[in-house]
Amino acid sequence: MALSGMRGLSVFISDIRNCQNKEQERLRVDKELGNIRTRFKNEKGLTPYEKKKYVWKMLYIYMLGYDVDFGHMEAVSLISAPKYPEKQVGYIVTSSLLNENHDFLRLAINTVRNDIIGRNETFQCLALTLVGNIGGREFAESLAPDVQKLLVSSSYRPLVRKKAALCLLRLYRKNPDVVNVDGWSDRMAHLLDERDLGVLTASMSLLVALVANNHDAYWSCLPKCVKVLERLARNQDIPQEYTYYGIPSPWLQVKTMRALQYFPTIEDPNTRRALFEVLQRILMGTDVVKNVNKNNASHAVLFEALALVMHLDAEKEMMSQCVALLGKFIAVREPNIRYLGLENMTRMLMVTDVQDIIKRHQAQIITSLKDPDISIRRRALDLLYGMCDVSNAKDIVEELLQYLSSADFAMREELSLKAAILAEKFAPDLSWYVDVILQLIDKAGDFVSDDIWFRVVQFVTNNEDLQPYAAVKAREYLDKPAIHETMVKVSAYILGEYSHLLARRPGCSPKEIFSIIHEKLPTVSTSTIPILLSTFAKILMHTQPSDPELQHQVWAIFRKYESCIDVEIQQRAVEYFALSRKGASLMDILAEMPKFPERQSALIKKAEDTEADTAEQSAIKLRAQQQTSNALVVTDQRPANGTPPVSQLGLVMVPSMSNVDHGSEDQEVTQANGTLTVVDPQPPDLLGDLLDPLAIEGPPGAAVQADHNLVPGAEGASNAEDALAIALVGEQTNTVQVSDDLLHALLI
């Protein structure tokens, strides 16, 4: 830029560098800005040299991070200067200080156009560079035809045509209408025959943008792209300045393969064969070397080739070769290469018939879970999640559970949720699924959302054969001296419903079950106490004939919480105490929970509908195609209310404990024996786009109605919608209302 001749600029830069602190620098900058502003006010007395010097100072101040809110007009006016030094300053400073929407740029459009259509190639390059950086829609409408003429004309030097291609790319992105599709297909094909790699690389960038919007108009460019790749792969006529560490123009190779990925397929057999030969050469010729720069360039080409191989749905032999190559990468010491290997192996999961090949590297992938780099651990987790199916689910989930104890806190929530999803989809049997969820809660209770234990409660409720096993496991976990509060919740619910099935086991009498749960009562929060109160009421109900000692102990707890400041706990205590004094009729009031309605799971559907990154999308598509295990299907043919079953068990709404809206007709259902209210769910916690937690949905309208076997004598129960009715049978003149809080206590 020949700045050495500007003594004032050199002195200013020296002063800035000699400043001892930021405050001195700011004072010096403010002084210089004041001086520049004063001189610009008397612009008539400024020589071209002085104007150029002050504009350079403005740019330097701007580069230091200070706002320059004046002098823009002076910078733009230098664009029209007849000499190169002033014009160069004008173009550079204007492109740095102004954006495409600045009003001053409109004043320069004619000058820029004159420089573009002129014969001075230096001025053309300056103008094209300006438009390529800050050109907007107005520039696109005014200058696009002239830029296109520069690009397609062979009379201009490659330097000008290269800049013209990049300039046209900018204008096309701002206004796609500037490129006529009908006329540009042949022109682009002609540009791909260019021998100069600079023009060819810039033209390929333009082609990528064009085919991304409309590939149908550019089929004639496809064989030309393959010929470009052949030329580069064979290192034919490649100048030394375009060879990077022995790799012929890696940037052009990457752009060309990216352009080919926008075409759905390659129908011509000769073109397809030639392309696969090039891809085979890339796969065979790429290896890990010590030179980092060469590794970066060669791997950029390799991974783009892998993406193209997956896009073209190559033969299984080539796919196997790709997976084997990635398997070598995930075993090297260099962390960047391991990361790229894991990421691309995850992307390959979308390709059919390669899952079994990827499984051969399962041990190495599991080893990556213990890598010091958290980004590699995350990629390994994504890959294990995507490659899991019925055949290897048990091994993978057990590894995830083992890793959970030492995993970073930042990963535990995602890890827990993925393990729960895999256990649900691919469980070999229901008892194993219950074991996995309880282990998750035990090892990472703080990171296990309520949705997960709601889900296991649903499975236990809907499968009678599972209920004794679940009750035994819950009893075992309660024996531990310290357990998470979530474990207390799920164990209390299961034992409240099914502890009577263990009555003959040692240590499982109602009094012993009550005692061990009662020990946890002082340690839990107010949100858990209502569940424990419900459990105590259930235990009392199952103790027939009644045990006076146990009855008095439970009543003492109810009386204790009758004056609790928490409204819900107080209401439950009062109502349970009143209900528990009804004697034998308590069996009808607190009967076992009916089976939850079957419903299609919404988790995978949500994940598929989410805009995730490429690696996550690959895993989702693969998992959608896999055949899931039949272990987690409700064994009951028909719910108690007669609702016909559906093909797959889904997720069920567990009503909220608060914020009940009694004004909604859809939520409130009034019956002769009481008021039942179904409330909206609390919004689920979001864990990224893919890992939305298990969506808890409410029962459908008329899907669950009052069971007349559980509620004999209840009137109007057949008309209830969206409610599980529980009624007290008493004298007709003495009906008891069961509140929504009591209903919720029995539901959880």
Side-chain angles (χ1 to χ4, degrees), residues 426-729:
F426 304 115
D429 56 74
L430 284 170
S431 59
W432 180 82
Y433 169 73
V434 172
D435 287 339
V436 169
I437 301 302
L438 293 181
Q439 287 183 60
L440 276 178
I441 297 173
D442 185 46
K443 293 183 177 182
D446 289 332
F447 303 94
V448 176
S449 65
D450 287 345
D451 304 333
I452 295 177
W453 76 267
F454 288 169
R455 185 69 162 154
V456 74
V457 162
Q458 176 186 342
F459 284 126
V460 172
T461 304
N462 287 15
N463 292 269
E464 294 181 1
D465 296 339
L466 185 62
Q467 292 165 2
Y469 179 81
V472 170
K473 299 302 293 185
R475 175 68 178 82
E476 291 176 358
Y477 276 102
L478 286 178
D479 282 335
K480 291 188 174 184
I483 60 175
H484 193 271
E485 187 168 336
T486 303
M487 181 65 75
V488 176
K489 291 180 182 178
V490 66
S491 298
Y493 172 86
I494 293 175
L495 291 174
E497 292 289 335
Y498 311 113
S499 62
H500 63 283
L501 302 176
L502 311 179
R504 296 183 180 180
R505 290 175 175 264
C508 295
S509 66
K511 186 178 297 185
E512 290 170 312
I513 296 292
F514 166 79
S515 176
I516 195 170
I517 297 177
H518 184 224
E519 291 177 2
K520 311 297 181 184
L521 184 59
T523 65
V524 298
S525 63
T526 55
S527 62
T528 306
I529 293 176
I531 299 177
L532 300 188
L533 295 180
S534 302
T535 300
F536 297 152
K538 287 275 187 175
I539 292 175
L540 199 61
M541 179 268 293
H542 287 306
T543 308
Q544 297 297 334
S546 61
D547 183 339
E549 182 181 355
L550 175 62
Q551 191 177 60
H552 287 301
Q553 289 177 337
V554 173
W555 285 354
I557 295 175
F558 290 158
R559 284 194 294 268
K560 173 184 176 182
Y561 285 103
E562 282 180 345
S563 58
C564 179
I565 193 172
D566 186 280
V567 176
E568 183 176 351
I569 296 176
Q570 181 188 112
Q571 184 174 356
R572 285 180 186 235
V574 170
E575 293 178 351
Y576 284 150
F577 181 70
L579 292 173
S580 61
R581 300 172 70 87
K582 295 296 181 182
S585 61
L586 192 64
M587 292 289 292
D588 295 326
I589 302 171
L590 299 178
E592 257 187 34
M593 281 287 296
K595 297 186 185 304
F596 290 93
E598 300 178 20
R599 188 159 318 157
Q600 182 178 4
S601 177
L603 179 63
I604 302 303
K605 182 178 182 300
K606 281 189 175 184
E608 290 175 346
D609 294 341
T610 303
E611 289 277 337
D613 60 23
T614 306
E616 296 287 2
Q617 280 184 339
S618 304
I620 295 167
K621 291 180 181 179
L622 171 66
R623 295 174 59 73
Q625 295 170 358
Q626 290 174 336
Q627 182 177 2
T628 60
S629 168
N630 292 325
L632 299 186
V633 176
V634 176
T635 56
D636 186 74
Q637 287 84 11
R638 183 175 295 273
N641 61 356
T643 305
V646 294
S647 59
Q648 185 179 356
L649 178 61
L651 301 170
V652 175
M653 166 84 66
V654 177
S656 172
M657 296 184 183
S658 59
N659 297 332
V660 180
D661 182 5
H662 294 278
S664 172
E665 293 181 0
D666 294 334
Q667 293 175 324
E668 192 172 56
V669 181
T670 304
Q671 297 187 357
N673 64 325
T675 300
L676 303 175
T677 306
V678 176
V679 299
D680 289 331
Q682 296 181 351
D685 295 327
L686 298 179
L687 183 62
D689 290 332
L690 170 64
L691 295 176
D692 289 330
L694 301 175
I696 305 301
E697 300 176 4
V704 183
Q705 297 177 353
D707 190 341
H708 293 281
N709 295 327
L710 296 177
V711 193
E715 297 180 4
S718 61
N719 296 326
E721 294 184 358
D722 295 346
L724 293 173
I726 300 176
L728 171 66
V729 181

Side-chain angles (χ1 to χ4, degrees), residues 12 16 25 28-34 36 54-68 70 97:
F12 174 62
I16 291 295
E25 179 185 290
R28 182 66 179 91
V29 167
D30 289 344
K31 177 182 177 181
E32 193 62 37
L33 286 175
I36 296 173
Y54 291 135
V55 171
W56 275 130
K57 287 184 178 181
M58 287 169 46
L59 178 60
Y60 183 70
I61 292 172
Y62 176 77
M63 292 170 61
L64 290 175
Y66 296 94
D67 290 334
V68 179
F70 69 95
L97 297 184

Side-chain angles (χ1 to χ4, degrees), residues 73 81 86-87 122 125 151 191 195 251 261 276 357 377 430-431 471 498 527 614 628 642 672:
M73 188 62 192
E86 288 80 13
K87 187 179 288 289
T122 304
C125 290
L151 176 58
L191 286 171
R195 304 307 298 175
W251 305 277
Q261 293 177 52
F276 278 119
I357 306 172
R377 296 197 296 270
L430 284 170
S431 59
Y498 311 113
S527 62
T614 306
T628 60

Side-chain angles (χ1 to χ4, degrees), residues 105 140 169-170 184 211 266 300 318 325 331 414 509 515 624 635 665:
L105 283 182
L169 174 60
R170 166 80 181 197
W184 260 92
V211 297
I266 300 178
M318 182 173 282
L325 187 61
E414 179 184 3
S509 66
S515 176
T635 56
E665 293 181 0

Side-chain angles (χ1 to χ4, degrees), residues 8-292:
L9 178 60
S10 301
V11 170
F12 174 62
I13 294 175
S14 178
D15 290 344
I16 291 295
R17 291 177 176 175
N18 292 330
C19 290
Q20 299 297 320
N21 50 54
K22 194 67 176 176
E23 182 64 22
Q24 290 184 10
E25 179 185 290
R26 187 183 62 80
L27 293 175
R28 182 66 179 91
V29 167
D30 289 344
K31 177 182 177 181
E32 193 62 37
L33 286 175
N35 181 47
I36 296 173
R37 191 188 300 269
T38 302
R39 297 305 300 271
F40 279 169
K41 288 182 179 179
N42 188 21
E43 188 176 357
K44 294 182 179 179
L46 285 178
T47 63
Y49 167 81
E50 291 178 324
K51 182 184 290 188
K52 178 177 64 173
K53 179 180 66 174
Y54 291 135
V55 171
W56 275 130
K57 287 184 178 181
M58 287 169 46
L59 178 60
Y60 183 70
I61 292 172
Y62 176 77
M63 292 170 61
L64 290 175
Y66 296 94
D67 290 334
V68 179
D69 55 359
F70 69 95
H72 299 165
M73 188 62 192
E74 285 73 12
V76 172
S77 65
L78 286 175
I79 293 177
S80 59
K83 296 182 180 180
Y84 173 75
E86 288 80 13
K87 187 179 288 289
Q88 179 200 35
V89 177
Y91 274 117
I92 292 176
V93 177
T94 299
S95 61
S96 300
L97 297 184
L98 307 185
N99 58 47
E100 62 182 81
N101 299 317
H102 204 287
D103 293 335
F104 284 167
L105 283 182
R106 298 174 184 171
L107 305 176
I109 289 181
N110 289 334
T111 303
V112 173
R113 183 175 183 276
N114 291 334
D115 287 338
I116 289 177
I117 65 178
R119 303 304 298 179
N120 189 318
E121 292 183 347
T122 304
F123 291 177
Q124 287 177 328
C125 290
L126 288 174
L128 292 171
T129 302
L130 172 74
V131 178
N133 280 296
I134 60 173
R137 292 186 66 89
E138 292 187 13
F139 276 89
E141 295 168 359
S142 304
L143 305 178
D146 299 316
V147 176
Q148 293 177 26
K149 290 178 183 178
L150 284 181
L151 176 58
V152 300
S153 175
S154 58
S155 61
Y156 292 97
R157 291 174 57 193
L159 177 63
V160 178
R161 298 178 62 203
K162 175 175 65 174
K163 291 182 177 293
L166 297 176
C167 179
L168 185 59
L169 174 60
R170 166 80 181 197
L171 299 180
Y172 176 75
R173 288 171 175 169
K174 295 301 175 182
N175 184 8
D177 296 335
V178 300
V179 175
N180 187 357
V181 175
D182 297 333
W184 260 92
S185 177
D186 296 335
R187 291 181 181 180
M188 282 305 308
H190 178 71
L191 286 171
L192 296 181
D193 291 328
E194 180 66 42
R195 304 307 298 175
D196 184 87
L197 288 188
V199 178
L200 188 56
T201 304
S203 300
M204 193 63 68
S205 299
L206 177 60
L207 177 64
V208 170
L210 293 174
V211 297
N213 285 346
N214 180 16
H215 68 272
D216 291 329
Y218 298 96
W219 281 101
S220 60
C221 298
L222 193 148
K224 300 293 182 70
C225 291
V226 176
K227 289 183 179 179
V228 170
L229 281 179
E230 285 185 291
R231 174 188 171 189
L232 295 172
R234 295 172 182 172
N235 204 359
Q236 295 177 346
D237 191 23
I238 307 298
Q240 185 63 32
E241 59 267 24
Y242 286 98
T243 301
Y244 185 77
Y245 286 91
I247 304 172
S249 189
W251 305 277
L252 180 56
Q253 293 189 54
V254 169
K255 290 179 184 294
T256 305
M257 287 187 283
R258 187 163 298 172
L260 289 172
Q261 293 177 52
Y262 286 104
F263 295 97
T265 184
I266 300 178
E267 299 178 355
D268 181 56
N270 295 328
T271 303
R272 186 179 178 88
R273 183 174 59 255
L275 177 58
F276 278 119
E277 289 177 0
V278 173
L279 295 176
Q280 184 74 25
R281 185 188 296 265
I282 294 174
L283 295 177
M284 295 292 294
T286 304
D287 204 350
V288 180
V289 296
K290 292 184 178 180
N291 190 295
V292 176

Side-chain angles (χ1 to χ4, degrees), residues 340-351:
L340 292 172
L342 291 168
E343 183 180 38
N344 282 272
M345 194 174 282
T346 306
R347 288 175 176 165
M348 292 203 72
L349 289 173
M350 72 168 64
V351 182

